[in-house]
Amino acid sequence: MQHQPIHDIETGKGLIACPRCDALHVEEDLKGGETASCVRCGSVLAKPRGGAFTQLIALSFTSVVLLMGAVFFPFLEISRLSFGNQTSLFGVALAFAEGMLLPLVVAVLLVIVGLPVLRAFLLVYTLVPLVKGRPPHRHAPAAFRWYEILGPWSMAEIFLIGTSVALVKIVGMVTVHLGPAFWAFGALILVNLASRSFMCHTTIWDAMEDAGLPTDTHRMIGAPEA
Amino acid sequence: MSEHSHGGPVLTAHRAGLMGCRRCGRVWPKGQRQCARCGSRLVQPDRSGLQAVWAWWLAGLIAYIPANLMPMMRTQAFGGLKGSSESTIVGGVLELIHYGSYDIAAVVFFASVVVPVAKFISIAWLAIVAGRPATVEQAHTRLKIYEVVEFIGRWSMIDVFVVAILSALVQLGFVVSIHPGPAAAAFAISVAFTMLSAQSFDPRLIWRGLPLRSRTED
């Protein structure tokens, strides 16, 4: 609004295409709290929040701490008459450790613990240089790309809902005690929600580019030499 | 909701002879293969990308068959003296109805049967009508359906987690024990494949058949 940014219809510089409908938009610097939506399909193109990078780093570390707690503390305990049983998060994954279900052990551990931890580190790796005002790490674009690709596969919140459904099924038959790991998972969901409200991937890509990522003017990755 | 469907002229990156990156939105000249900002592969919004959608869709559908025919859980009561029962997804719902818990039965039926089937139908329909001429309203409806499918896909994993938690927890030796069945793996695979199918779908195709301005209906 305030100024006319430089854009080029030949090279695509300074333009944004909506990932949902391909409509072209001229890139503008938004202030924190502003939202840019696609004129054609209404998808949110950018929604920066002031101080979001620092918050995201803090929330990433929080989620790693909570996940460590969730892994090493008891998760659930049941008792009926004189019989009782308790399980940890590993116990839940190891429930599939028989016969042909074995690969599911790895898959379950990955989607509820492995990927959330990995994504937290990928995000910290991407954002720390940007917060310090330094050029991004060499593999930052790949790191943030994988952070986004792995998003749908990190299923901590789905696991918590699954736990609730399982508890509803057995709560009439046995006495259930919720362990610290259960509450750690509950807190993790809140941390993820907060993280999502601060996350604006357009802003992060722009920040990486502005902070000195090699793009069109310097080096073309995989571009034909023409 | 409808204020953003403005009737003014819209220029797409494709029409301008450019290519938009589906991951980060950066625009590049046509012919470039990879986005130099985020490293994603650049693809044209055309129907050739639908092959991947159909391949994952079919794989997901094939895995969905054993997921329904094989048992999801095996419950053993009193060391097998009171019999052990194996339940499939639909069998579990019928059991819940039998015991009178209609509300839980409805929830499980919706989450484990209605949602997966609706997902298969929606993706197939989106892929079939992709790139066909449509009005702006139809395109908005399709995009909404795509977003629902994309959002809801991962939530089907709930079933797999429920089986894992029950099997890990309900191990009361002689009294009662629950073991996972092979359908859990088939179901997990089916959910993963349908997620990949939905991710392969390029929502830009929904808008390809639309006139760019309202007056170019020649």
Side-chain angles (χ1 to χ4, degrees), chain A residues 37-43, chain B residues 1-7 140:
Chain A
S37 303
C38 173
V39 293
R40 195 187 201 193
C41 71
S43 306
Chain B
M1 262 291 128
S2 59
E3 71 263 23
H4 51 63
S5 55
H6 82 150
H140 277 289

Side-chain angles (χ1 to χ4, degrees), chain A residues 8-25 27 38-43 75-81 83-88 91-93 95-98 100-101 104 108 111-112 141-142 144-145 148-149 151-170 174 176 196 201-202 205-206 209 213-216 219-224, chain B residues 4-6 10-40 45 70 73-74 96 104 108 136 140 143 146-147 150-151 154-158 160-175 178-186 188 191-193 195-196 199 202-208 210-212:
Chain A
D8 185 351
I9 198 78
E10 296 298 318
T11 62
K13 197 174 184 296
L15 295 170
I16 287 189
C18 172
R20 298 266 173 197
C21 73
D22 210 30
L24 271 181
H25 300 79
E27 207 169 24
C38 173
V39 293
R40 195 187 201 193
C41 71
S43 306
F75 185 52
L76 294 168
E77 194 182 343
I78 57 166
S79 53
R80 168 88 194 260
L81 306 172
F83 295 93
N85 185 38
Q86 68 157 24
T87 184
S88 66
V92 172
F96 288 122
E98 36 183 287
M100 60 175 281
L101 292 177
L104 266 190
V108 167
V111 299
I112 62 180
F144 190 59
R145 193 171 78 245
E148 292 204 290
I149 292 172
W153 303 97
S154 126
M155 300 185 176
E157 72 272 34
I158 297 169
F159 180 73
L160 193 73
I161 303 293
T163 310
S164 317
V165 173
L167 291 183
V168 166
K169 280 190 173 178
I170 57 167
V174 291
V176 179
R196 199 161 303 172
H201 80 142
T202 322
W205 285 121
D206 279 343
E209 194 173 15
L213 191 76
T215 51
D216 44 350
R219 186 167 62 99
M220 291 252 207
I221 310 165
Chain B
H4 51 63
S5 55
H6 82 150
V10 176
L11 183 62
T12 63
H14 182 72
R15 183 60 67 94
L18 298 163
M19 290 238 268
C21 172
R22 260 190 79 192
R23 184 151 300 283
C24 74
R26 188 79 156 77
V27 180
W28 301 101
K30 191 166 270 178
Q32 187 159 338
R33 301 263 191 75
Q34 199 178 16
C35 175
R37 177 161 78 168
C38 73
S40 300
M70 293 204 276
M73 283 194 283
R74 202 174 74 242
L96 284 169
I104 304 178
V108 175
V136 176
H140 277 289
L143 185 66
Y146 174 70
E147 278 171 352
E150 204 185 28
F151 172 79
R154 46 208 292 277
W155 286 92
S156 300
M157 278 295 184
I158 284 181
V160 180
F161 292 144
V162 168
V163 172
I165 292 157
L166 288 180
S167 312
L169 203 53
V170 185
Q171 292 295 343
L172 298 181
F174 186 69
V175 182
I178 294 180
H179 299 279
V191 172
F193 284 169
M195 280 173 72
L196 288 167
Q199 285 172 13
D202 187 345
R204 295 177 301 180
L205 277 175
I206 293 174
W207 305 85
R208 269 303 294 279
L210 261 61
L212 289 168

Side-chain angles (χ1 to χ4, degrees), chain B residues 33-146:
Chain B
R33 301 263 191 75
Q34 199 178 16
C35 175
R37 177 161 78 168
C38 73
S40 300
R41 209 161 58 88
L42 293 172
V43 282
Q44 294 279 11
D46 58 30
R47 287 179 63 90
S48 62
L50 290 176
Q51 285 181 8
V53 178
W54 283 116
W56 289 121
W57 184 86
L58 195 65
L61 193 65
I62 290 169
Y64 191 60
I65 296 167
N68 277 282
L69 295 180
M70 293 204 276
M72 202 77 168
M73 283 194 283
R74 202 174 74 242
T75 314
Q76 210 164 32
F78 293 99
L81 293 173
K82 270 197 164 181
S84 66
S85 66
E86 294 192 330
S87 60
T88 56
I89 295 174
V90 178
V93 175
L94 294 177
E95 213 168 286
L96 284 169
I97 293 173
H98 180 74
Y99 289 121
S101 13
Y102 297 106
D103 41 354
I104 304 178
V107 170
V108 175
F109 181 74
F110 183 76
S112 324
V113 181
V114 176
V115 168
V117 171
K119 219 164 47 184
F120 281 117
I121 295 173
S122 307
I123 297 174
W125 179 72
L126 282 171
I128 289 167
V129 300
R132 299 247 186 98
T135 64
V136 176
E137 285 73 31
Q138 284 170 333
H140 277 289
T141 314
R142 289 179 197 173
L143 185 66
K144 189 114 274 167
I145 290 171
Y146 174 70

